[in-house]
């Protein structure tokens, strides 16, 4: 086609069509950009007002489960009350639209019994309004667009058509943004819940440690003291038997002290994650733990409760090496890999069959439970005679 003919055709597009094209271009822009709920809503409000020459526009999101609407977007100056206005389903004209899925065309809202005055939305300044549902064909309403004019507008049907067309365009973008926001909220909720659980576990553990310290440790101490007195007076088999009992009491005392001392927690609070792992590694007199740590910035990306849960998992794994592996050496590695913390505890001891662990054992089960609470994964590789590897991966907070 010849160039000046193209220009001629373009000029023939009348004013209304050109306005419609401009509107659709702006709507299309809204659809392609990944936006938050409030961005979609406030831009939708601005486009709607401009498209029909109205005074203000309010966008409400509909939550059918809770039976309410929330203002998620508005043109200035009402953008300042976004998030603070809620309506019941069926309440006011927007509530009626949300409930029925039909549009409301209202030349004079003061004459409409459905209208409800909300001081924050400045109803006294506006007269006519059009309210349309944002919904996919045959589906429930996800939002409501409420467009107001200062003065009375008699012929509102054409404006209602335009607003409804814009609404059909936008429903997908709004649904998408709402879904992402709800997912993020429930993810955050789960994370809070997990942190609470970890905190509660630690509280229980602390209580047990204090009970052990005040009760069992004191009794063991008294028993050992009285035994010492007896031993000096005994001879022969009895003296030997008493010495054996004393050794047993010492072992029990050492075990209680180890639990009460809790190297991980105190060092974590005072010096941070890397030092907590170092202190843990040095807490086993019979085990030489080779450390390979590259976790300098992990403390900033992992809450204290979550760091402590990781330390607990390592502690449980090293306890197992001491109790079962029949070796004097182990390795503890921890490093950040992208947005994950990767931790490994390895020994070259007797190993075991992971599939046939006797029921009623708590160590491996509690490691798995903690890893799950952290939103991470844990794998245990072992075979008889071939040593054991415990590998943990925990997601870190995203670096902002
Ligand atoms: N590093 C290891 N080397 C050899 N065997 C292991 C190792 N870790 C675990 N096991 C085996 O797996 C079993 C289960 O371990 P788990 O930690 O669940 O329980 P436990 O250590 O026996 O008891 P606890 O409840 O006190 O931890 C152990 O009894 C042991 O047979
Ligand atoms: Mg164990």
């Amino acid at each position: 086609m010849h160039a000046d003919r193209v220009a001629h055709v373009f000029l023939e597009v009348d004013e209304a069509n050109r306005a419609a094209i401009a509107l659709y271009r702006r709507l299309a822009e809204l659809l392609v950009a990944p936006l938050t709920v409030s961005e979609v809503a406030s831009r939708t409000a601005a486009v709607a007002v401009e498209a029909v020459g109205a005074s203000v526009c309010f966008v409400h999101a509909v939550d059918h489960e809770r039976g309410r609407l929330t203002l998620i977007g508005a043109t200035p100056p009402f953008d300042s009350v976004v998030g603070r206005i809620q309506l019941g389903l069926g309440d006011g004209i927007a509530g009626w639209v949300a409930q029925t899925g039909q549009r409301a065309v209202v030349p004079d809202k003061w004459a409409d019994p459905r209208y409800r005055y909300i001081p924050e939305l400045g109803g006294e300044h506006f007269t006519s309004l059009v309210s349309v549902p944002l919904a996919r064909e045959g589906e429930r309403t996800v939002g409501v667009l409420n467009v107001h004019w200062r003065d009375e507008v008699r012929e509102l049907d054409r404006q209602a058509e335009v607003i409804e067309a814009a609404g059909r365009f936008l429903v997908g973008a709004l649904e998408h943004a709402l879904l992402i926001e709800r997912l993020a909220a429930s993810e955050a909720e789960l994370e809070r819940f997990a942190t609470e659980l970890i905190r509660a576990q630690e509280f229980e553990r602390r209580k047990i440690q204090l009970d052990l310290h005040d009760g069992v440790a004191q009794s063991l101490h008294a028993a050992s003291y009285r035994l010492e007195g007896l031993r000096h007076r005994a001879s022969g088999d009895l003296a030997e038997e008493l010495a054996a009992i004393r050794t047993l009491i010492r072992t029990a005392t050492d075990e209680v002290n180890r639990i009460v001392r809790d190297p991980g927690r105190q060092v974590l609070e005072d010096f941070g994650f890397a030092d907590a792992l170092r202190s843990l590694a040095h807490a086993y007199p019979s085990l030489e733990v080779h450390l390979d740590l590259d976790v300098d910035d992990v403390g900033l990306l992992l809450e204290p409760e979550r760091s402590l849960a990781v330390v607990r998992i390592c502690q449980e794994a090293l306890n197992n090496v001491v109790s079962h592996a029949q070796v004097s050496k182990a390795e503890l590695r921890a490093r950040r890999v992208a947005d994950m913390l990767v931790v490994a505890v390895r020994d070259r001891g007797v190993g075991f069959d992971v599939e046939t662990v006797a029921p009623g054992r708590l160590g491996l089960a509690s490691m798995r439970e903690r890893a799950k609470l952290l939103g991470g994964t844990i794998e245990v590789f072992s075979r008889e005679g071939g040593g054991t590897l415990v590998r943990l991966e925990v997601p870190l907070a995203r670096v902002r």
Side-chain angles (χ1 to χ4, degrees), residues 39-305:
E39 282 167 342
V40 172
S42 62
R43 292 189 198 186
T44 302
V47 171
V49 162
E50 202 178 299
V52 295
S55 309
V56 289
C57 174
F58 301 107
V59 185
H60 302 271
V62 182
D63 184 339
H64 289 273
E65 276 65 45
R66 296 201 174 90
R68 69 178 185 215
L69 283 71
T70 305
L71 184 71
I72 53 169
T75 44
F78 299 100
D79 49 341
S80 62
V81 292
V82 162
R84 288 199 267 137
I85 306 289
Q86 295 207 328
L87 290 168
L89 208 57
D91 203 6
I93 293 179
W96 179 86
V97 171
Q99 195 169 47
T100 60
Q102 295 173 37
R103 75 181 184 200
V105 179
V106 184
D108 177 6
K109 70 181 185 212
W110 302 107
D112 193 309
R114 293 169 299 186
Y115 177 67
R116 181 155 91 74
Y117 175 67
I118 299 170
E120 293 92 331
L121 300 185
E124 64 274 22
H125 302 299
F126 310 106
T127 311
S128 296
L129 83 91
V130 167
S131 185
V132 304
L134 293 169
R136 281 181 200 283
E137 194 71 41
E139 289 191 19
R140 286 205 302 194
T141 314
V142 288
V144 175
L145 268 182
N146 248 18
V147 180
H148 297 247
W149 285 262
R150 193 168 302 279
D151 302 314
E152 185 168 342
V153 182
R154 287 185 188 284
E155 297 294 321
L156 277 174
D157 285 335
R158 205 188 72 77
Q159 279 90 332
E161 292 289 327
V162 174
I163 297 167
E164 219 163 46
R168 272 197 295 276
F169 238 98
L170 287 167
V171 65
L174 185 64
E175 257 176 356
H176 187 233
L178 281 170
L179 193 66
I180 288 178
E181 204 163 280
R182 279 176 198 154
L183 274 177
S186 57
E187 207 171 281
E189 184 62 28
L190 260 180
E191 229 164 73
R192 262 198 303 281
F193 179 64
T195 304
E196 276 309 310
L197 264 181
I198 293 173
R199 206 171 280 161
Q201 281 179 344
E202 283 300 325
F203 181 75
E204 281 303 314
R205 189 184 183 106
R206 191 80 200 122
K207 249 176 45 193
I208 293 169
Q209 285 170 332
L210 288 175
D211 286 350
L212 276 177
H213 179 261
D214 297 344
V216 180
Q218 303 305 325
S219 304
L220 284 173
H221 184 69
S224 141
Y225 186 75
R226 296 176 76 154
L227 198 68
E228 221 33 35
L230 270 183
R231 216 165 60 88
H232 288 304
R233 281 187 271 141
S235 57
D237 284 357
L238 186 58
E240 259 177 45
E241 191 58 20
L242 290 176
I245 294 175
R246 192 185 58 163
T247 308
L248 286 175
I249 292 183
R250 271 207 190 133
T251 311
T253 307
D254 287 348
E255 180 70 1
V256 168
N257 284 342
R258 192 176 58 78
I259 297 170
V260 171
R261 248 188 293 115
D262 198 355
R265 179 214 305 267
Q266 201 54 51
V267 179
L268 183 72
E269 280 171 15
D270 295 343
F271 300 102
F273 182 62
D275 279 331
L277 291 181
R278 278 188 201 106
S279 143
L280 178 67
H282 292 121
Y284 300 89
S286 62
L287 194 67
E288 184 190 322
V289 181
H290 174 78
L291 278 167
D292 181 359
L293 306 180
D294 186 4
V295 290
D296 282 347
D297 47 357
V298 164
L300 300 173
L301 304 171
L302 203 60
E303 290 172 70
E305 286 81 9

Side-chain angles (χ1 to χ4, degrees), residues 316 320 324 363:
E316 208 61 66
N320 277 351
H324 312 295

